[in-house]
PDB file of all heavy atoms in Angstrom:
ATOM      1  N   LEU A 391      77.296  50.367  38.404  1.00  0.00           N
ATOM      2  CA  LEU A 391      77.215  51.498  39.324  1.00  0.00           C
ATOM      3  C   LEU A 391      76.629  51.145  40.683  1.00  0.00           C
ATOM      4  O   LEU A 391      77.067  51.686  41.705  1.00  0.00           O
ATOM      5  CB  LEU A 391      76.365  52.610  38.703  1.00  0.00           C
ATOM      6  CG  LEU A 391      76.882  53.249  37.415  1.00  0.00           C
ATOM      7  CD1 LEU A 391      75.876  54.283  36.920  1.00  0.00           C
ATOM      8  CD2 LEU A 391      78.240  53.885  37.633  1.00  0.00           C
ATOM      9  N   ASN A 392      75.629  50.286  40.690  1.00  0.00           N
ATOM     10  CA  ASN A 392      74.814  50.112  41.903  1.00  0.00           C
ATOM     11  C   ASN A 392      74.792  48.702  42.454  1.00  0.00           C
ATOM     12  O   ASN A 392      73.974  48.379  43.308  1.00  0.00           O
ATOM     13  CB  ASN A 392      73.372  50.558  41.626  1.00  0.00           C
ATOM     14  CG  ASN A 392      73.300  52.020  41.225  1.00  0.00           C
ATOM     15  OD1 ASN A 392      74.110  52.832  41.676  1.00  0.00           O
ATOM     16  ND2 ASN A 392      72.323  52.355  40.391  1.00  0.00           N
ATOM     17  N   GLY A 393      75.636  47.834  41.951  1.00  0.00           N
ATOM     18  CA  GLY A 393      75.695  46.491  42.495  1.00  0.00           C
ATOM     19  C   GLY A 393      74.561  45.575  42.075  1.00  0.00           C
ATOM     20  O   GLY A 393      74.357  44.516  42.691  1.00  0.00           O
ATOM     21  N   TYR A 394      73.819  45.956  41.057  1.00  0.00           N
ATOM     22  CA  TYR A 394      72.764  45.083  40.544  1.00  0.00           C
ATOM     23  C   TYR A 394      73.406  43.826  39.967  1.00  0.00           C
ATOM     24  O   TYR A 394      74.487  43.890  39.368  1.00  0.00           O
ATOM     25  CB  TYR A 394      71.963  45.823  39.473  1.00  0.00           C
ATOM     26  CG  TYR A 394      70.840  45.027  38.868  1.00  0.00           C
ATOM     27  CD1 TYR A 394      69.786  44.559  39.650  1.00  0.00           C
ATOM     28  CD2 TYR A 394      70.812  44.767  37.498  1.00  0.00           C
ATOM     29  CE1 TYR A 394      68.738  43.847  39.090  1.00  0.00           C
ATOM     30  CE2 TYR A 394      69.779  44.068  36.920  1.00  0.00           C
ATOM     31  CZ  TYR A 394      68.743  43.603  37.722  1.00  0.00           C
ATOM     32  OH  TYR A 394      67.703  42.891  37.157  1.00  0.00           O
ATOM     33  N   THR A 395      72.766  42.678  40.123  1.00  0.00           N
ATOM     34  CA  THR A 395      73.390  41.412  39.739  1.00  0.00           C
ATOM     35  C   THR A 395      72.658  40.701  38.602  1.00  0.00           C
ATOM     36  O   THR A 395      72.996  39.565  38.266  1.00  0.00           O
ATOM     37  CB  THR A 395      73.458  40.458  40.946  1.00  0.00           C
ATOM     38  OG1 THR A 395      72.132  40.212  41.437  1.00  0.00           O
ATOM     39  CG2 THR A 395      74.327  41.044  42.049  1.00  0.00           C
ATOM     40  N   GLY A 396      71.680  41.350  37.983  1.00  0.00           N
ATOM     41  CA  GLY A 396      70.914  40.691  36.932  1.00  0.00           C
ATOM     42  C   GLY A 396      71.758  40.355  35.712  1.00  0.00           C
ATOM     43  O   GLY A 396      72.520  41.182  35.214  1.00  0.00           O
ATOM     44  N   THR A 397      71.617  39.132  35.220  1.00  0.00           N
ATOM     45  CA  THR A 397      72.367  38.667  34.063  1.00  0.00           C
ATOM     46  C   THR A 397      71.585  38.927  32.773  1.00  0.00           C
ATOM     47  O   THR A 397      70.422  39.352  32.809  1.00  0.00           O
ATOM     48  CB  THR A 397      72.634  37.166  34.176  1.00  0.00           C
ATOM     49  OG1 THR A 397      71.362  36.474  34.131  1.00  0.00           O
ATOM     50  CG2 THR A 397      73.347  36.830  35.495  1.00  0.00           C
ATOM     51  N   VAL A 398      72.220  38.644  31.649  1.00  0.00           N
ATOM     52  CA  VAL A 398      71.522  38.742  30.372  1.00  0.00           C
ATOM     53  C   VAL A 398      70.316  37.793  30.356  1.00  0.00           C
ATOM     54  O   VAL A 398      69.229  38.153  29.898  1.00  0.00           O
ATOM     55  CB  VAL A 398      72.479  38.410  29.206  1.00  0.00           C
ATOM     56  CG1 VAL A 398      71.716  38.374  27.891  1.00  0.00           C
ATOM     57  CG2 VAL A 398      73.616  39.419  29.137  1.00  0.00           C
ATOM     58  N   ALA A 399      70.518  36.593  30.865  1.00  0.00           N
ATOM     59  CA  ALA A 399      69.418  35.625  30.925  1.00  0.00           C
ATOM     60  C   ALA A 399      68.279  36.139  31.801  1.00  0.00           C
ATOM     61  O   ALA A 399      67.094  35.948  31.473  1.00  0.00           O
ATOM     62  CB  ALA A 399      69.925  34.283  31.448  1.00  0.00           C
ATOM     63  N   ASP A 400      68.611  36.775  32.917  1.00  0.00           N
ATOM     64  CA  ASP A 400      67.584  37.359  33.786  1.00  0.00           C
ATOM     65  C   ASP A 400      66.806  38.437  33.034  1.00  0.00           C
ATOM     66  O   ASP A 400      65.583  38.492  33.111  1.00  0.00           O
ATOM     67  CB  ASP A 400      68.224  37.985  35.035  1.00  0.00           C
ATOM     68  CG  ASP A 400      68.827  36.967  35.963  1.00  0.00           C
ATOM     69  OD1 ASP A 400      68.365  35.809  35.969  1.00  0.00           O
ATOM     70  OD2 ASP A 400      69.786  37.327  36.681  1.00  0.00           O
ATOM     71  N   TYR A 401      67.539  39.296  32.351  1.00  0.00           N
ATOM     72  CA  TYR A 401      66.903  40.380  31.592  1.00  0.00           C
ATOM     73  C   TYR A 401      65.917  39.822  30.576  1.00  0.00           C
ATOM     74  O   TYR A 401      64.768  40.288  30.483  1.00  0.00           O
ATOM     75  CB  TYR A 401      68.000  41.188  30.896  1.00  0.00           C
ATOM     76  CG  TYR A 401      67.516  42.203  29.889  1.00  0.00           C
ATOM     77  CD1 TYR A 401      66.781  43.319  30.275  1.00  0.00           C
ATOM     78  CD2 TYR A 401      67.822  42.059  28.534  1.00  0.00           C
ATOM     79  CE1 TYR A 401      66.361  44.272  29.342  1.00  0.00           C
ATOM     80  CE2 TYR A 401      67.407  42.997  27.599  1.00  0.00           C
ATOM     81  CZ  TYR A 401      66.674  44.097  28.004  1.00  0.00           C
ATOM     82  OH  TYR A 401      66.253  45.018  27.081  1.00  0.00           O
ATOM     83  N   GLU A 402      66.340  38.825  29.833  1.00  0.00           N
ATOM     84  CA  GLU A 402      65.454  38.260  28.811  1.00  0.00           C
ATOM     85  C   GLU A 402      64.234  37.592  29.434  1.00  0.00           C
ATOM     86  O   GLU A 402      63.092  37.806  28.990  1.00  0.00           O
ATOM     87  CB  GLU A 402      66.217  37.264  27.951  1.00  0.00           C
ATOM     88  CG  GLU A 402      65.368  36.679  26.834  1.00  0.00           C
ATOM     89  CD  GLU A 402      66.166  35.815  25.883  1.00  0.00           C
ATOM     90  OE1 GLU A 402      67.424  35.822  25.945  1.00  0.00           O
ATOM     91  OE2 GLU A 402      65.532  35.126  25.045  1.00  0.00           O
ATOM     92  N   ALA A 403      64.449  36.787  30.458  1.00  0.00           N
ATOM     93  CA  ALA A 403      63.328  36.085  31.090  1.00  0.00           C
ATOM     94  C   ALA A 403      62.336  37.063  31.710  1.00  0.00           C
ATOM     95  O   ALA A 403      61.112  36.886  31.599  1.00  0.00           O
ATOM     96  CB  ALA A 403      63.859  35.117  32.155  1.00  0.00           C
ATOM     97  N   GLN A 404      62.846  38.075  32.378  1.00  0.00           N
ATOM     98  CA  GLN A 404      61.966  39.077  32.997  1.00  0.00           C
ATOM     99  C   GLN A 404      61.209  39.880  31.939  1.00  0.00           C
ATOM    100  O   GLN A 404      60.031  40.200  32.123  1.00  0.00           O
ATOM    101  CB  GLN A 404      62.798  40.016  33.876  1.00  0.00           C
ATOM    102  CG  GLN A 404      63.373  39.349  35.112  1.00  0.00           C
ATOM    103  CD  GLN A 404      64.505  40.149  35.730  1.00  0.00           C
ATOM    104  OE1 GLN A 404      64.953  41.166  35.184  1.00  0.00           O
ATOM    105  NE2 GLN A 404      65.007  39.682  36.869  1.00  0.00           N
ATOM    106  N   TYR A 405      61.871  40.171  30.839  1.00  0.00           N
ATOM    107  CA  TYR A 405      61.227  40.930  29.760  1.00  0.00           C
ATOM    108  C   TYR A 405      60.130  40.090  29.110  1.00  0.00           C
ATOM    109  O   TYR A 405      59.017  40.583  28.853  1.00  0.00           O
ATOM    110  CB  TYR A 405      62.280  41.322  28.723  1.00  0.00           C
ATOM    111  CG  TYR A 405      62.025  42.638  28.024  1.00  0.00           C
ATOM    112  CD1 TYR A 405      63.058  43.311  27.386  1.00  0.00           C
ATOM    113  CD2 TYR A 405      60.758  43.223  27.978  1.00  0.00           C
ATOM    114  CE1 TYR A 405      62.865  44.523  26.748  1.00  0.00           C
ATOM    115  CE2 TYR A 405      60.548  44.438  27.337  1.00  0.00           C
ATOM    116  CZ  TYR A 405      61.602  45.075  26.715  1.00  0.00           C
ATOM    117  OH  TYR A 405      61.391  46.271  26.081  1.00  0.00           O
ATOM    118  N   VAL A 406      60.421  38.825  28.854  1.00  0.00           N
ATOM    119  CA  VAL A 406      59.397  37.930  28.283  1.00  0.00           C
ATOM    120  C   VAL A 406      58.203  37.838  29.214  1.00  0.00           C
ATOM    121  O   VAL A 406      57.045  37.895  28.781  1.00  0.00           O
ATOM    122  CB  VAL A 406      59.990  36.533  28.026  1.00  0.00           C
ATOM    123  CG1 VAL A 406      58.878  35.530  27.692  1.00  0.00           C
ATOM    124  CG2 VAL A 406      61.005  36.582  26.893  1.00  0.00           C
ATOM    125  N   ASP A 407      58.469  37.697  30.520  1.00  0.00           N
ATOM    126  CA  ASP A 407      57.380  37.614  31.495  1.00  0.00           C
ATOM    127  C   ASP A 407      56.541  38.879  31.492  1.00  0.00           C
ATOM    128  O   ASP A 407      55.302  38.822  31.525  1.00  0.00           O
ATOM    129  CB  ASP A 407      57.956  37.370  32.885  1.00  0.00           C
ATOM    130  CG  ASP A 407      56.875  37.309  33.947  1.00  0.00           C
ATOM    131  OD1 ASP A 407      56.071  36.367  33.938  1.00  0.00           O
ATOM    132  OD2 ASP A 407      56.820  38.232  34.783  1.00  0.00           O
ATOM    133  N   LEU A 408      57.196  40.041  31.431  1.00  0.00           N
ATOM    134  CA  LEU A 408      56.477  41.316  31.416  1.00  0.00           C
ATOM    135  C   LEU A 408      55.578  41.420  30.186  1.00  0.00           C
ATOM    136  O   LEU A 408      54.399  41.790  30.277  1.00  0.00           O
ATOM    137  CB  LEU A 408      57.477  42.470  31.432  1.00  0.00           C
ATOM    138  CG  LEU A 408      56.894  43.880  31.498  1.00  0.00           C
ATOM    139  CD1 LEU A 408      56.374  44.176  32.904  1.00  0.00           C
ATOM    140  CD2 LEU A 408      57.954  44.911  31.105  1.00  0.00           C
ATOM    141  N   LEU A 409      56.115  41.087  29.037  1.00  0.00           N
ATOM    142  CA  LEU A 409      55.353  41.185  27.794  1.00  0.00           C
ATOM    143  C   LEU A 409      54.237  40.151  27.738  1.00  0.00           C
ATOM    144  O   LEU A 409      53.120  40.438  27.262  1.00  0.00           O
ATOM    145  CB  LEU A 409      56.286  41.024  26.594  1.00  0.00           C
ATOM    146  CG  LEU A 409      57.344  42.122  26.421  1.00  0.00           C
ATOM    147  CD1 LEU A 409      58.339  41.727  25.340  1.00  0.00           C
ATOM    148  CD2 LEU A 409      56.701  43.463  26.091  1.00  0.00           C
ATOM    149  N   THR A 410      54.511  38.947  28.224  1.00  0.00           N
ATOM    150  CA  THR A 410      53.484  37.898  28.227  1.00  0.00           C
ATOM    151  C   THR A 410      52.334  38.262  29.153  1.00  0.00           C
ATOM    152  O   THR A 410      51.153  38.078  28.812  1.00  0.00           O
ATOM    153  CB  THR A 410      54.106  36.555  28.660  1.00  0.00           C
ATOM    154  OG1 THR A 410      55.149  36.209  27.755  1.00  0.00           O
ATOM    155  CG2 THR A 410      53.053  35.455  28.662  1.00  0.00           C
ATOM    156  N   THR A 411      52.674  38.797  30.322  1.00  0.00           N
ATOM    157  CA  THR A 411      51.638  39.262  31.248  1.00  0.00           C
ATOM    158  C   THR A 411      50.788  40.351  30.606  1.00  0.00           C
ATOM    159  O   THR A 411      49.560  40.371  30.761  1.00  0.00           O
ATOM    160  CB  THR A 411      52.288  39.809  32.535  1.00  0.00           C
ATOM    161  OG1 THR A 411      53.008  38.753  33.186  1.00  0.00           O
ATOM    162  CG2 THR A 411      51.248  40.382  33.481  1.00  0.00           C
ATOM    163  N   THR A 412      51.432  41.243  29.884  1.00  0.00           N
ATOM    164  CA  THR A 412      50.708  42.322  29.216  1.00  0.00           C
ATOM    165  C   THR A 412      49.788  41.769  28.141  1.00  0.00           C
ATOM    166  O   THR A 412      48.638  42.204  28.005  1.00  0.00           O
ATOM    167  CB  THR A 412      51.699  43.314  28.597  1.00  0.00           C
ATOM    168  OG1 THR A 412      52.650  43.713  29.575  1.00  0.00           O
ATOM    169  CG2 THR A 412      50.976  44.543  28.065  1.00  0.00           C
ATOM    170  N   ARG A 413      50.297  40.813  27.366  1.00  0.00           N
ATOM    171  CA  ARG A 413      49.479  40.201  26.322  1.00  0.00           C
ATOM    172  C   ARG A 413      48.252  39.519  26.910  1.00  0.00           C
ATOM    173  O   ARG A 413      47.142  39.612  26.359  1.00  0.00           O
ATOM    174  CB  ARG A 413      50.326  39.188  25.543  1.00  0.00           C
ATOM    175  CG  ARG A 413      49.567  38.378  24.521  1.00  0.00           C
ATOM    176  CD  ARG A 413      49.173  39.213  23.324  1.00  0.00           C
ATOM    177  NE  ARG A 413      50.320  39.547  22.501  1.00  0.00           N
ATOM    178  CZ  ARG A 413      50.454  40.687  21.836  1.00  0.00           C
ATOM    179  NH1 ARG A 413      49.523  41.619  21.937  1.00  0.00           N
ATOM    180  NH2 ARG A 413      51.507  40.917  21.082  1.00  0.00           N
ATOM    181  N   GLN A 414      48.409  38.871  28.041  1.00  0.00           N
ATOM    182  CA  GLN A 414      47.281  38.186  28.679  1.00  0.00           C
ATOM    183  C   GLN A 414      46.253  39.172  29.204  1.00  0.00           C
ATOM    184  O   GLN A 414      45.047  38.954  29.097  1.00  0.00           O
ATOM    185  CB  GLN A 414      47.795  37.291  29.811  1.00  0.00           C
ATOM    186  CG  GLN A 414      48.632  36.117  29.325  1.00  0.00           C
ATOM    187  CD  GLN A 414      49.339  35.389  30.447  1.00  0.00           C
ATOM    188  OE1 GLN A 414      49.417  35.893  31.590  1.00  0.00           O
ATOM    189  NE2 GLN A 414      49.869  34.217  30.162  1.00  0.00           N
ATOM    190  N   ALA A 415      46.725  40.268  29.777  1.00  0.00           N
ATOM    191  CA  ALA A 415      45.813  41.259  30.359  1.00  0.00           C
ATOM    192  C   ALA A 415      45.182  42.161  29.304  1.00  0.00           C
ATOM    193  O   ALA A 415      44.048  42.628  29.482  1.00  0.00           O
ATOM    194  CB  ALA A 415      46.558  42.107  31.385  1.00  0.00           C
ATOM    195  N   LEU A 416      45.916  42.400  28.223  1.00  0.00           N
ATOM    196  CA  LEU A 416      45.451  43.307  27.163  1.00  0.00           C
ATOM    197  C   LEU A 416      45.573  42.591  25.817  1.00  0.00           C
ATOM    198  O   LEU A 416      46.437  42.917  24.987  1.00  0.00           O
ATOM    199  CB  LEU A 416      46.294  44.583  27.158  1.00  0.00           C
ATOM    200  CG  LEU A 416      46.347  45.391  28.456  1.00  0.00           C
ATOM    201  CD1 LEU A 416      47.441  46.461  28.376  1.00  0.00           C
ATOM    202  CD2 LEU A 416      44.993  46.029  28.743  1.00  0.00           C
ATOM    203  N   PRO A 417      44.721  41.596  25.582  1.00  0.00           N
ATOM    204  CA  PRO A 417      44.900  40.743  24.396  1.00  0.00           C
ATOM    205  C   PRO A 417      44.796  41.454  23.062  1.00  0.00           C
ATOM    206  O   PRO A 417      45.343  40.978  22.063  1.00  0.00           O
ATOM    207  CB  PRO A 417      43.789  39.691  24.555  1.00  0.00           C
ATOM    208  CG  PRO A 417      42.789  40.313  25.469  1.00  0.00           C
ATOM    209  CD  PRO A 417      43.566  41.179  26.402  1.00  0.00           C
ATOM    210  N   SER A 418      44.118  42.581  23.014  1.00  0.00           N
ATOM    211  CA  SER A 418      43.967  43.291  21.742  1.00  0.00           C
ATOM    212  C   SER A 418      45.000  44.397  21.540  1.00  0.00           C
ATOM    213  O   SER A 418      45.025  45.044  20.490  1.00  0.00           O
ATOM    214  CB  SER A 418      42.558  43.888  21.634  1.00  0.00           C
ATOM    215  OG  SER A 418      42.347  44.862  22.642  1.00  0.00           O
ATOM    216  N   ALA A 419      45.850  44.621  22.528  1.00  0.00           N
ATOM    217  CA  ALA A 419      46.836  45.699  22.437  1.00  0.00           C
ATOM    218  C   ALA A 419      47.998  45.301  21.529  1.00  0.00           C
ATOM    219  O   ALA A 419      48.369  44.123  21.436  1.00  0.00           O
ATOM    220  CB  ALA A 419      47.364  46.056  23.820  1.00  0.00           C
ATOM    221  N   ARG A 420      48.574  46.279  20.879  1.00  0.00           N
ATOM    222  CA  ARG A 420      49.797  46.064  20.118  1.00  0.00           C
ATOM    223  C   ARG A 420      50.977  46.359  21.022  1.00  0.00           C
ATOM    224  O   ARG A 420      51.072  47.445  21.596  1.00  0.00           O
ATOM    225  CB  ARG A 420      49.841  46.958  18.879  1.00  0.00           C
ATOM    226  CG  ARG A 420      51.085  46.707  18.026  1.00  0.00           C
ATOM    227  CD  ARG A 420      51.033  47.453  16.712  1.00  0.00           C
ATOM    228  NE  ARG A 420      52.192  47.146  15.892  1.00  0.00           N
ATOM    229  CZ  ARG A 420      52.419  47.638  14.682  1.00  0.00           C
ATOM    230  NH1 ARG A 420      51.543  48.489  14.155  1.00  0.00           N
ATOM    231  NH2 ARG A 420      53.492  47.312  13.993  1.00  0.00           N
ATOM    232  N   LEU A 421      51.882  45.407  21.148  1.00  0.00           N
ATOM    233  CA  LEU A 421      53.076  45.568  21.968  1.00  0.00           C
ATOM    234  C   LEU A 421      54.246  45.962  21.071  1.00  0.00           C
ATOM    235  O   LEU A 421      54.446  45.381  19.997  1.00  0.00           O
ATOM    236  CB  LEU A 421      53.408  44.276  22.709  1.00  0.00           C
ATOM    237  CG  LEU A 421      52.286  43.669  23.559  1.00  0.00           C
ATOM    238  CD1 LEU A 421      52.804  42.454  24.320  1.00  0.00           C
ATOM    239  CD2 LEU A 421      51.700  44.693  24.505  1.00  0.00           C
ATOM    240  N   VAL A 422      55.007  46.927  21.527  1.00  0.00           N
ATOM    241  CA  VAL A 422      56.129  47.454  20.752  1.00  0.00           C
ATOM    242  C   VAL A 422      57.366  47.468  21.649  1.00  0.00           C
ATOM    243  O   VAL A 422      57.328  48.020  22.746  1.00  0.00           O
ATOM    244  CB  VAL A 422      55.834  48.879  20.242  1.00  0.00           C
ATOM    245  CG1 VAL A 422      57.008  49.407  19.418  1.00  0.00           C
ATOM    246  CG2 VAL A 422      54.540  48.918  19.443  1.00  0.00           C
ATOM    247  N   VAL A 423      58.443  46.862  21.181  1.00  0.00           N
ATOM    248  CA  VAL A 423      59.703  46.829  21.917  1.00  0.00           C
ATOM    249  C   VAL A 423      60.741  47.606  21.123  1.00  0.00           C
ATOM    250  O   VAL A 423      61.025  47.276  19.964  1.00  0.00           O
ATOM    251  CB  VAL A 423      60.185  45.386  22.139  1.00  0.00           C
ATOM    252  CG1 VAL A 423      61.609  45.371  22.705  1.00  0.00           C
ATOM    253  CG2 VAL A 423      59.236  44.645  23.073  1.00  0.00           C
ATOM    254  N   LEU A 424      61.291  48.655  21.733  1.00  0.00           N
ATOM    255  CA  LEU A 424      62.376  49.409  21.118  1.00  0.00           C
ATOM    256  C   LEU A 424      63.703  48.833  21.577  1.00  0.00           C
ATOM    257  O   LEU A 424      63.889  48.540  22.769  1.00  0.00           O
ATOM    258  CB  LEU A 424      62.304  50.890  21.488  1.00  0.00           C
ATOM    259  CG  LEU A 424      61.212  51.714  20.804  1.00  0.00           C
ATOM    260  CD1 LEU A 424      59.856  51.478  21.468  1.00  0.00           C
ATOM    261  CD2 LEU A 424      61.551  53.202  20.846  1.00  0.00           C
ATOM    262  N   GLU A 425      64.610  48.673  20.654  1.00  0.00           N
ATOM    263  CA  GLU A 425      65.916  48.112  20.959  1.00  0.00           C
ATOM    264  C   GLU A 425      66.727  49.078  21.825  1.00  0.00           C
ATOM    265  O   GLU A 425      66.879  50.253  21.480  1.00  0.00           O
ATOM    266  CB  GLU A 425      66.675  47.854  19.660  1.00  0.00           C
ATOM    267  CG  GLU A 425      68.061  47.257  19.862  1.00  0.00           C
ATOM    268  CD  GLU A 425      68.819  47.121  18.552  1.00  0.00           C
ATOM    269  OE1 GLU A 425      68.595  47.945  17.632  1.00  0.00           O
ATOM    270  OE2 GLU A 425      69.631  46.186  18.459  1.00  0.00           O
ATOM    271  N   PRO A 426      67.280  48.608  22.939  1.00  0.00           N
ATOM    272  CA  PRO A 426      68.198  49.463  23.704  1.00  0.00           C
ATOM    273  C   PRO A 426      69.449  49.739  22.875  1.00  0.00           C
ATOM    274  O   PRO A 426      69.860  48.913  22.049  1.00  0.00           O
ATOM    275  CB  PRO A 426      68.513  48.642  24.956  1.00  0.00           C
ATOM    276  CG  PRO A 426      68.165  47.239  24.604  1.00  0.00           C
ATOM    277  CD  PRO A 426      67.100  47.294  23.557  1.00  0.00           C
ATOM    278  N   PHE A 427      70.040  50.888  23.074  1.00  0.00           N
ATOM    279  CA  PHE A 427      71.169  51.313  22.245  1.00  0.00           C
ATOM    280  C   PHE A 427      72.130  52.150  23.086  1.00  0.00           C
ATOM    281  O   PHE A 427      71.739  52.752  24.093  1.00  0.00           O
ATOM    282  CB  PHE A 427      70.673  52.164  21.065  1.00  0.00           C
ATOM    283  CG  PHE A 427      70.013  53.440  21.504  1.00  0.00           C
ATOM    284  CD1 PHE A 427      70.752  54.601  21.675  1.00  0.00           C
ATOM    285  CD2 PHE A 427      68.653  53.463  21.805  1.00  0.00           C
ATOM    286  CE1 PHE A 427      70.140  55.770  22.126  1.00  0.00           C
ATOM    287  CE2 PHE A 427      68.035  54.627  22.263  1.00  0.00           C
ATOM    288  CZ  PHE A 427      68.792  55.780  22.418  1.00  0.00           C
ATOM    289  N   VAL A 428      73.374  52.209  22.659  1.00  0.00           N
ATOM    290  CA  VAL A 428      74.368  53.129  23.221  1.00  0.00           C
ATOM    291  C   VAL A 428      75.324  53.514  22.097  1.00  0.00           C
ATOM    292  O   VAL A 428      75.387  52.856  21.057  1.00  0.00           O
ATOM    293  CB  VAL A 428      75.179  52.514  24.392  1.00  0.00           C
ATOM    294  CG1 VAL A 428      74.292  52.257  25.595  1.00  0.00           C
ATOM    295  CG2 VAL A 428      75.904  51.250  23.956  1.00  0.00           C
ATOM    296  N   LEU A 429      76.071  54.576  22.312  1.00  0.00           N
ATOM    297  CA  LEU A 429      77.184  54.948  21.447  1.00  0.00           C
ATOM    298  C   LEU A 429      78.445  55.060  22.295  1.00  0.00           C
ATOM    299  O   LEU A 429      78.378  55.420  23.477  1.00  0.00           O
ATOM    300  CB  LEU A 429      76.906  56.286  20.753  1.00  0.00           C
ATOM    301  CG  LEU A 429      75.797  56.286  19.707  1.00  0.00           C
ATOM    302  CD1 LEU A 429      75.563  57.701  19.180  1.00  0.00           C
ATOM    303  CD2 LEU A 429      76.121  55.340  18.552  1.00  0.00           C
ATOM    304  N   ARG A 430      79.572  54.771  21.713  1.00  0.00           N
ATOM    305  CA  ARG A 430      80.838  54.849  22.444  1.00  0.00           C
ATOM    306  C   ARG A 430      81.230  56.310  22.613  1.00  0.00           C
ATOM    307  O   ARG A 430      81.923  56.901  21.783  1.00  0.00           O
ATOM    308  CB  ARG A 430      81.926  54.057  21.722  1.00  0.00           C
ATOM    309  CG  ARG A 430      81.606  52.583  21.665  1.00  0.00           C
ATOM    310  CD  ARG A 430      82.821  51.730  21.368  1.00  0.00           C
ATOM    311  NE  ARG A 430      82.458  50.332  21.207  1.00  0.00           N
ATOM    312  CZ  ARG A 430      83.280  49.309  21.344  1.00  0.00           C
ATOM    313  NH1 ARG A 430      84.550  49.542  21.662  1.00  0.00           N
ATOM    314  NH2 ARG A 430      82.868  48.073  21.161  1.00  0.00           N
ATOM    315  N   HIS A 431      80.751  56.856  23.692  1.00  0.00           N
ATOM    316  CA  HIS A 431      80.891  58.283  23.969  1.00  0.00           C
ATOM    317  C   HIS A 431      80.570  58.494  25.441  1.00  0.00           C
ATOM    318  O   HIS A 431      79.745  57.777  26.008  1.00  0.00           O
ATOM    319  CB  HIS A 431      79.922  59.068  23.075  1.00  0.00           C
ATOM    320  CG  HIS A 431      79.833  60.527  23.373  1.00  0.00           C
ATOM    321  ND1 HIS A 431      80.877  61.404  23.175  1.00  0.00           N
ATOM    322  CD2 HIS A 431      78.794  61.281  23.856  1.00  0.00           C
ATOM    323  CE1 HIS A 431      80.496  62.619  23.513  1.00  0.00           C
ATOM    324  NE2 HIS A 431      79.249  62.580  23.933  1.00  0.00           N
ATOM    325  N   GLY A 432      81.186  59.442  26.084  1.00  0.00           N
ATOM    326  CA  GLY A 432      80.847  59.739  27.474  1.00  0.00           C
ATOM    327  C   GLY A 432      81.129  58.566  28.387  1.00  0.00           C
ATOM    328  O   GLY A 432      82.267  58.098  28.498  1.00  0.00           O
ATOM    329  N   VAL A 433      80.103  58.045  29.027  1.00  0.00           N
ATOM    330  CA  VAL A 433      80.266  56.963  29.995  1.00  0.00           C
ATOM    331  C   VAL A 433      80.443  55.605  29.344  1.00  0.00           C
ATOM    332  O   VAL A 433      80.791  54.627  30.012  1.00  0.00           O
ATOM    333  CB  VAL A 433      79.068  56.914  30.965  1.00  0.00           C
ATOM    334  CG1 VAL A 433      78.936  58.218  31.723  1.00  0.00           C
ATOM    335  CG2 VAL A 433      77.771  56.560  30.235  1.00  0.00           C
TER     336      VAL A 433
END
């Protein structure tokens, strides 16, 4: 829709970086990742 150019590899690397940064800043926190999902409907 918007011309974003991020690849699957970019998504994974950026997500790992985000979670790793969080783990370092909040070492006792529990991190939870929900799987993205879609259904073949609408858009």
Side-chain angles (χ1 to χ4, degrees):
L391 297 177
N392 300 328
Y394 180 61
T395 59
T397 65
V398 174
D400 292 333
Y401 170 67
E402 182 173 349
Q404 292 163 354
Y405 212 160
V406 169
D407 179 67
L408 183 75
L409 296 171
T410 301
T411 298
T412 309
R413 174 72 71 214
Q414 293 170 347
L416 303 168
S418 63
R420 183 172 183 179
L421 306 185
V422 181
V423 171
L424 286 79
E425 180 185 31
F427 63 90
V428 293
L429 291 176
R430 296 198 185 202
H431 173 67
V433 300

